[in-house]
Amino acid sequence: MSRYTATATYPWKNELERYRTLAAEAGSAPADGWSRERKLALVKQIVCAYTKYQDSNGAIIDPYSGMERYYSTPAYAMAAAVLVDAGHMELLDSASAALSHSIDAVVSGSAPDNHPDFFPVLMMRAYMLLRSHRPDQASIWAEALRTIDPENDYVFTMSKMNNANRMINWNAIMISGEYLRWSEHLASEDTTWMDRYLEAYHLPRFTPLGLYQDGPLDRPNCPFSYDIATRYHLEVMLDGGYEGAVADALREKLNHGAFSSLLMLSPLGEIPPRGRSSQHQWNEAAAAYVCSVHAKLAMQAGDSVMAGAFARAANRCFEAVERWLMPDGRLKIVRNEYAPEKRHGYEVYTNHICYNLWTAAALAHACLRDLDEEIVHSYLPSEIGSRVLQADGWFETLLASVPGQQLVLHTALNDPYTIPGLVRVQQAGLPGLIGPSAASHVQAGFTEFAEGVVQPLSYCPAWKTTDGVWHSLAEGIPSGSEYDRDAGIDPAHGGGSIIFKMATRMGESSADNELQETVSAVGSNMVKSTAEKAMLNTTENDFEITWTGPLPGTRSIITRYVHRADELVVTYIFEGEIEAVGAVIPLMFSDGREQAVITYTERSVRTTYLGAYVESTIQDAKAVIQLNPQEVASRNGLLKQARMEVYDAQQLTFTIRLGRDLT
């Protein structure tokens, strides 16, 4: 069998090949019920929910603000055009009117909310799909599209900004659509200007893992949402035939990024939370397209295992979005059950209609690359085997998985939007929010909440200093400078640091040497020894993080995690003069509609929600548990917190278990 794989420079190459071997040995995964027809039906439900909001000029009007917002109209045009192409001809007039209005907005400089950079890829895909249905209108569209001057008609260009640090996701998104315009012979310039932007401002942002670091070149802020959104658009460009000066370099980075997305995807089909726009449905819609493209590429390469993995990943992303569909066809665009007008968990720029329709457009794009039932699915990395992955660059994230369960830990010590500690636990077959799904964080300029106090909260160490004050790692370390919500923050500011180590059956090692050497032969034609097979098939992770820095009263804290299929064992070890040690436990409390039931004893605290539970139990006999009644705001709703406390000790151990509530 041919291999569709990463290059030798890919940092997770050994983990990728270890997973490939496990997936090949496991055989095909069961069918998940996602056909191309079902995917198109999901897109149609969202699109048709907004058809009634189209005005006589073709614009889609936001029902909450009463005006056209952002790039809702071209997103509608593109998604509707995909449906027309699939035979839903009743949408042809509506899609055509939306496309005409969108082109006029860019040409006349009247794009809503000054967001023309997001229009071209949506307009061009709609144009390419609709022109055969409306040949006379297509001539008018083409004539108008030829008049666009990208350097002057868009916002994030060097002609407008004259600032390399501002050539961020907007610029890459614009370029992807401008390439389609050029490929359709609607632009006179060649790709040289695009090549310059890609080489100077975008390729340097990619990490060796292929993750796109959004933000200033010298201090990117790295939300996973803008990593996947940018890679999605650049994939559109490559898939459209781009073979410019940097095509090979871009292709390698996007291939690496796709493998990283596959390895990081949760068993529920969600990308990791980190930074702004986390928990928005369009995150997984963009991932669905990336995975669909690479399923096709793997199939073309003759690699049925990786094709099956990417196809299953794409389907899981569709499922992650569909979970939040409302009865009228609209989506809850952030993963909670609050009414849209409450804007709970929304960013200041989050718009209900725009992010519904942009999500629909990205899913529609994935449908164009869907191979339907041609591919036999493979199990996902989060479904088989065990692994611990450390993201590179400025992403400051660890991901650990055992079959069917994934943990996400953040290691930033000074970022108010990416607080340290264990921030997500997700398990197959259980509600995504129960773990919980994401931490709460400090308010520093982006996120809005309908209720609850805004404060940092994650599974993390806590300690009481000799002055009688309790502290927690989630509070982090002050950076010494004012937080800039666009620029992010330098991880070195404030003086904190972390050391990540893995432990294996062969003894403790760093994540980058002994463990990788142990599995370096996996996937080759070598006969594996018994020890190597045991390593390959292990379903336990054992790792630790040592946190150091100017933490009140303590010089360092070691957090150790032994991760098994049926439980997570967590140990915190403190070095310093402290009065008591503790563990903060975040408790899912409400999604905005359903409220969890929280119960606790001296030794354990349990949350029951939608037929499932998560229970944390402390192992120390002298421990007590304090429950704080305060409701804490998170993007997913409301959390509460418990604190496990042990006096006259330097460490504590507790377990976390999730399962179905059978009472």
Side-chain angles (χ1 to χ4, degrees), residues 24-58:
E25 291 177 352
S28 60
D32 55 20
W34 278 95
S35 63
R36 186 168 186 269
E37 289 70 26
R38 182 178 173 185
K39 294 176 181 179
L40 287 168
L42 173 58
V43 173
K44 186 178 181 183
Q45 283 182 275
I46 303 170
V47 167
C48 290
Y50 292 98
T51 303
K52 63 184 178 182
Y53 296 111
Q54 188 170 37
D55 69 12
S56 59
N57 296 317

Side-chain angles (χ1 to χ4, degrees), residues 409-521:
L409 298 98
H410 288 152
T411 58
L413 277 165
N414 62 355
D415 186 335
Y417 276 92
T418 310
I419 66 167
L422 173 59
V423 300
R424 168 183 283 179
V425 184
Q426 286 195 338
Q427 184 165 312
L430 301 183
L433 304 190
I434 193 171
S437 181
S440 57
H441 52 73
V442 177
Q443 179 57 277
F446 272 126
T447 315
E448 303 171 342
F449 297 105
E451 58 182 336
V453 299
V454 181
Q455 65 182 53
L457 177 58
S458 66
Y459 289 99
C460 70
W463 64 100
K464 188 177 184 180
T465 49
T466 54
D467 59 1
V469 177
W470 277 98
H471 305 271
S472 82
L473 189 68
E475 297 167 3
I477 296 173
S479 67
S481 60
E482 186 175 349
Y483 180 75
D484 184 324
R485 73 182 195 186
D486 292 315
I489 197 161
D490 188 328
H493 288 176
S497 65
I498 68 113
I499 298 173
F500 163 54
K501 290 183 179 180
M502 283 288 298
T504 73
R505 289 184 177 88
M506 298 165 60
E508 190 177 85
S509 67
S510 74
D512 295 324
N513 46 57
E514 187 176 333
L515 177 63
Q516 292 192 355
E517 291 167 7
T518 302
V519 298
S520 61

Side-chain angles (χ1 to χ4, degrees), residues 315-335:
N315 288 3
R316 284 291 168 85
C317 291
F318 268 87
E319 189 172 301
V321 174
E322 186 191 56
R323 236 174 254 131
W324 296 94
L325 195 69
M326 293 189 277
D328 64 1
R330 297 176 299 155
L331 289 169
K332 295 289 181 67
I333 59 172
V334 178
R335 290 193 165 93

